[in-house]
Amino acid sequence: MKKKESNSNASFEGTVNNGKLSMVVGGRLDAAGVTALWPKARGLLETKRLAAIELDGAGVDYADGAGAALLVHVRQVARRLKIPVEFNGLGADIQEMLDLYPAEKLSEIAEPAPKNGRDLVEGIGEAFCDAIRGVKDHVAFMGELFVGLLQAIVHPRGMRAKDFFLVIEASGPKALPIIAMLGFLVGLILAFQGAVLMKQFGAEIYIADFVGKSVARELGPLITAIIVAGRTGSAFAAEIGTMKVNEEIDAFTTMGLDPVRFLVIPRVTAATLMTPLLAVITNVFGMMGGAVVMMSLGFPLVTYVNRILGSVTAADYLGGLSKSIIFGLLISGAGCLCGLRTGEGASAVGNSATRAVVSSIIMIVIADGLFAVLFYYLGI
Amino acid sequence: MSGETIITVEGFTARYGERLVLDDLSFTVKRGEVFVILGGSGCGKSTLLKHMIGLYHPFAGDIRVGDASVVSTTGAERDALIRRFGVMYQSGALFGSMTLLENVCLPLEEFTSLNKAARELIAKMKLSLVGLAEFAHLMPSEISGGMKKRAAIARAMALDPEILFLDEPSAGLDPITAAELDELIIQLARALKITFVIVTHELPSIYKIADRVIMLDARAKKIIAEGDPATLRDTHEDQWVRDFFNRKSQATGTTGEDDE
Ligand SMILES: Nc1ncnc2c1ncn2[C@@H]1O[C@H](COP(=O)(O)OP(=O)(O)OP(=O)(O)O)[C@@H](O)[C@H]1O
Ligand SMILES: [Mg+2]
């Protein structure tokens, strides 16, 4: 068995004789050279029943990390097979470089623990337990938050006013354009879909009732909540999460300052106050969207307004707004909680922002369902 | 040491916006030497380093490596130039979503056509150089601050760079590990002929490893001392510079005196 080949930089020649592998290596052992040599060397090193390895490196005139890796690889194979290995003729500096990698130091490299077969079942169980723990965590945090909020109401001076107003600005006025646009479009689409249907019965005038009620009771608060979850909730999670990663939260704690009071309360109060105000805007623009469709169907604006005033009761309107207060609380609470529970590393911040949005939206939908039942029994 | 110049900095001026950080510096680094940048905190050492590796564009002046200017070359030529550098940032800057092994493997994967076994062996060897072989499969978030630094050095060495830039490699390391690191730097400089440009404050290690130092001053924004550390300690005309080398070397033990 004989292989011989040389490329521009490195040359390799190997023979197996009575179980003794002799290799002659020469030239430049850099990344390019080693790329070419490695497969050949491996082929020979996989020969069955090797008894000894001898490597002649007299012709090597340069070796970098890749070259050293090749030599170390040969040495490791010999070690694994428990056969003697001999390097001959290596230049002094190459030998010196090789000495940087003592065999015993390299062999202690731990391999990752192999995965076992119970992965899936275990994974499902673990995920379930995690979910339960998450819910428990959430409930506990809500309690902590509630206490903090009460304290803030009793002693409003203890709250960080600067943070509060910054969050007010970021979550309120800055959200106006998108809230207005979305509200308007949803009202428009709703009215348009209604128009197609009601035209068949000649009942287009009821579009006003339909748009007014559904926007005030359901869609206004819901759309607002989803926007707030996407803008503000995720921002809270990312902001607090970054502080967590930078050990700023720990710094608060070791200074004896409660991160809930410092970071969470201002954010939660601000967002909870802003969400219903945004919902008002969504409602107004949603109804404006309906008006556009009605007017294009030939109804005068005053008719539309009168129908809405006749059909949307104060209970509808205020019921919707009270929902959005709760939504705001849930969203900002979830955002802050996810931020505080951020793990380590850069991707952790992204994960907690995602988690904040997902859990906010789930909670919004569940809370909305509960409200529907509640309002039904209250007759609202 | 062949005495051949590898890095030339000429009339280099750095600014952040309106604020002048370094003013009209000129110096050279020779091939195979361990070149140390000294100075108080905030005097612009990291800034200088980041300009030398071409991360920032200088306000004025030129930085050349061999014949190629870090400042003005572009495109493929620049990529080839940058690839001759290995850099360890002050904060480590490991990629948080990869294990240590993957961090070190990444440049090998991108810039060589070595097979996977070879790449991983090289990466493990580099990690073993900095004493992290057994932690190869951990994520950066699972190791300590000093270990991150060492892993970052391993990553900087992945491609056997000609010049290694290290920003405070031994800050945050215990004296023994720091001494091992010094030993490693000396070995690498000798065995692989790597040129080192190092920012450090550790006087014992400066005496041990530095062939030449420059000292930056925050107020003058210039180099206030240049030369080999023992000579500066004994003969520099500025009392403050002599004190700097003396006082600290006495306070931190006798390593400096012993080595010279
Ligand atoms: N991105 C930046 N923008 C504006 N100014 C900066 C920036 N980075 C650094 N500076 C300023 O430049 C000066 C030098 O900073 P540099 O980080 O280079 O200091 P250093 O010598 O490395 O300090 P240390 O020993 O603390 O790391 C400082 O005054 C700092 O405020
Ligand atoms: Mg710095």
Side-chain angles (χ1 to χ4, degrees):
Chain A
M1 191 169 160
K2 185 161 179 141
K3 286 189 182 180
K4 181 173 176 163
E5 203 172 296
S6 64
N7 70 0
S8 56
N9 303 321
S11 65
F12 179 83
E13 197 175 331
T15 51
V16 181
N17 220 331
N18 288 335
K20 180 173 169 143
L21 169 60
S22 320
M23 293 183 278
V24 181
V25 184
R28 269 181 78 84
L29 290 187
D30 53 8
V34 172
T35 306
L37 297 196
W38 194 283
K40 292 173 212 155
R42 192 178 51 195
L44 285 172
L45 288 168
E46 279 168 2
T47 314
K48 297 234 162 45
R49 283 190 289 283
L50 280 180
I53 301 179
E54 189 187 35
L55 186 142
D56 180 0
V60 178
D61 42 44
Y62 172 86
D64 63 6
L70 182 69
L71 299 176
V72 168
H73 179 63
V74 171
R75 202 178 62 193
Q76 276 188 327
V77 169
R79 217 175 135 86
R80 202 174 52 230
L81 297 176
K82 300 198 176 59
I83 56 176
V85 58
E86 208 178 314
F87 291 164
N88 295 325
L90 284 179
D93 35 349
I94 296 171
Q95 189 59 52
E96 188 180 2
M97 182 175 64
L98 212 54
D99 292 343
L100 294 175
Y101 310 102
E104 59 283 4
K105 222 167 152 192
L106 273 169
S107 58
E108 73 194 23
I109 295 174
E111 291 302 323
K115 298 207 167 85
N116 56 26
R118 289 177 311 183
D119 250 9
L120 180 69
V121 179
E122 251 181 44
I124 292 174
E126 219 163 276
F128 182 73
C129 288
D130 272 354
I132 298 286
R133 265 198 295 273
V135 170
K136 202 176 127 205
D137 209 19
H138 228 110
V139 172
F141 181 72
M142 282 294 170
E144 206 177 328
L145 187 57
F146 187 70
V147 173
L149 281 176
L150 281 186
Q151 272 172 358
I153 292 168
V154 180
H155 309 286
R157 277 161 187 278
M159 194 161 78
R160 308 272 295 170
K162 195 172 140 235
D163 281 7
F164 176 74
F165 288 112
L166 280 177
V167 179
I168 288 267
E169 190 196 356
S171 58
K174 288 195 174 157
L176 279 182
I178 176 136
I179 284 280
M181 187 186 76
L182 232 76
F184 181 79
L185 287 177
V186 166
L188 192 90
I189 293 165
L190 205 63
F192 187 74
Q193 296 286 13
V196 174
L197 198 70
M198 297 200 196
K199 219 172 180 167
Q200 299 172 9
F201 311 106
E204 292 101 320
I205 187 68
Y206 288 108
I207 293 171
D209 302 49
F210 169 58
V211 170
K213 267 215 190 270
S214 49
V215 166
R217 291 181 66 112
E218 279 299 334
L219 287 175
L222 212 56
I223 287 169
T224 314
I226 288 172
I227 300 267
V228 171
R231 281 185 88 251
T232 312
S234 62
F236 287 174
E239 226 172 349
I240 297 181
T242 310
M243 295 178 73
K244 172 87 194 238
V245 170
N246 291 339
E247 300 178 324
E248 286 175 51
I249 304 284
D250 298 344
F252 270 121
T253 314
T254 47
M255 273 190 248
L257 303 171
D258 181 9
V260 170
R261 179 166 74 84
F262 260 78
L263 302 171
V264 177
I265 298 295
R267 288 183 168 73
V268 169
T269 35
T272 309
L273 290 176
M274 288 326 284
T275 315
L277 295 184
L278 289 174
V280 170
I281 305 290
T282 319
N283 287 346
V284 170
F285 275 86
M287 290 178 196
M288 275 162 59
V292 171
V293 173
M294 284 295 271
M295 281 160 74
S296 72
L297 291 175
F299 292 95
L301 185 60
V302 61
T303 318
Y304 177 77
V305 172
N306 277 336
R307 285 281 336 164
I308 286 203
L309 289 180
S311 66
V312 180
T313 63
D316 288 335
Y317 192 71
L318 295 179
L321 292 191
S322 61
K323 280 206 287 196
S324 47
I325 296 180
I326 300 295
F327 290 165
L329 186 66
L330 291 174
I331 295 165
S332 49
C336 293
L337 173 65
C338 291
L340 287 175
R341 296 289 179 272
T342 301
E344 297 285 325
S347 59
V349 176
N351 288 344
S352 59
T354 310
R355 214 150 9 106
V357 175
V358 171
S359 59
S360 301
I361 288 178
I362 292 174
M363 284 197 297
I364 291 166
V365 173
I366 293 175
D368 199 33
L370 293 178
F371 270 114
V373 175
L374 182 71
F375 286 178
Y376 176 77
Y377 281 109
L378 291 177
I380 298 175
Chain B
M1 212 179 311
S2 62
E4 170 201 359
T5 298
I6 183 158
I7 307 178
T8 316
V9 175
E10 250 174 23
F12 165 75
T13 303
R15 283 187 176 192
Y16 285 110
E18 279 300 291
R19 191 147 57 100
L20 184 67
V21 177
L22 292 169
D23 188 20
D24 195 19
L25 305 191
S26 299
F27 60 89
T28 58
V29 180
K30 301 208 167 48
R31 185 181 291 279
E33 83 176 340
V34 178
F35 186 84
V36 171
I37 302 171
L38 283 175
S41 179
C43 70
K45 304 180 296 296
S46 299
T47 304
L48 174 60
L49 209 65
K50 285 185 177 168
H51 279 89
M52 287 170 84
I53 56 181
L55 219 47
Y56 297 163
H57 198 86
F59 179 78
D62 195 13
I63 297 167
R64 285 192 307 277
V65 172
D67 295 326
S69 164
V70 179
V71 178
S72 56
T73 49
T74 50
E77 220 175 310
R78 184 185 167 82
D79 291 347
L81 181 63
I82 300 291
R83 213 163 306 155
R84 292 162 65 186
F85 303 161
V87 186
M88 189 212 84
Y89 297 94
Q90 196 165 5
S91 61
L94 294 172
F95 303 123
S97 59
M98 305 178 194
T99 64
L100 300 191
L101 191 71
E102 287 165 340
N103 259 288
V104 183
C105 272
L106 182 74
L108 293 164
E109 223 167 284
E110 292 298 314
F111 297 119
T112 70
S113 43
L114 290 165
N115 60 21
K116 187 153 182 281
R119 289 198 307 258
E120 289 196 348
L121 180 59
I122 296 176
K124 281 176 185 168
M125 285 162 57
K126 304 288 172 183
L127 283 170
S128 83
L129 278 184
V130 293
L132 286 178
E134 50 194 308
F135 304 98
H137 295 286
L138 294 185
M139 303 296 281
S141 56
E142 296 170 320
I143 61 175
S144 76
M147 287 157 84
K148 279 182 202 160
K149 288 233 146 138
R150 287 188 277 151
I153 296 176
R155 186 180 68 184
M157 290 188 310
L159 288 174
D160 297 298
E162 242 177 280
I163 311 170
L164 256 177
F165 295 90
L166 309 178
D167 196 347
E168 304 203 10
S170 46
L173 297 183
D174 63 282
I176 309 237
T177 316
E180 278 171 12
L181 190 62
D182 290 340
E183 206 52 52
L184 176 67
I185 290 171
I186 295 171
Q187 279 175 334
L188 288 174
R190 199 173 47 210
L192 301 179
K193 314 277 179 298
I194 297 178
T195 309
F196 282 88
V197 177
I198 303 177
V199 172
T200 182
H201 298 293
E202 307 288 316
L203 269 173
S205 98
I206 293 168
Y207 285 118
K208 201 154 136 202
I209 61 175
D211 294 312
R212 223 143 47 84
V213 305
I214 57 170
M215 193 155 179
L216 302 177
D217 181 62
R219 213 148 328 130
K221 306 180 193 318
K222 285 191 186 300
I223 298 173
I224 51 167
E226 178 171 4
D228 111 275
T231 319
L232 287 182
R233 177 190 58 200
D234 298 335
T235 62
H236 196 269
E237 72 267 19
D238 190 335
Q239 179 69 41
W240 189 83
V241 174
R242 285 204 308 273
D243 280 352
F244 180 96
F245 283 104
N246 265 318
R247 191 157 35 212
K248 286 241 201 109
S249 81
Q250 279 154 14
T252 48
T254 52
T255 328
E257 271 80 341
D258 287 354
D259 270 37
E260 295 308 316

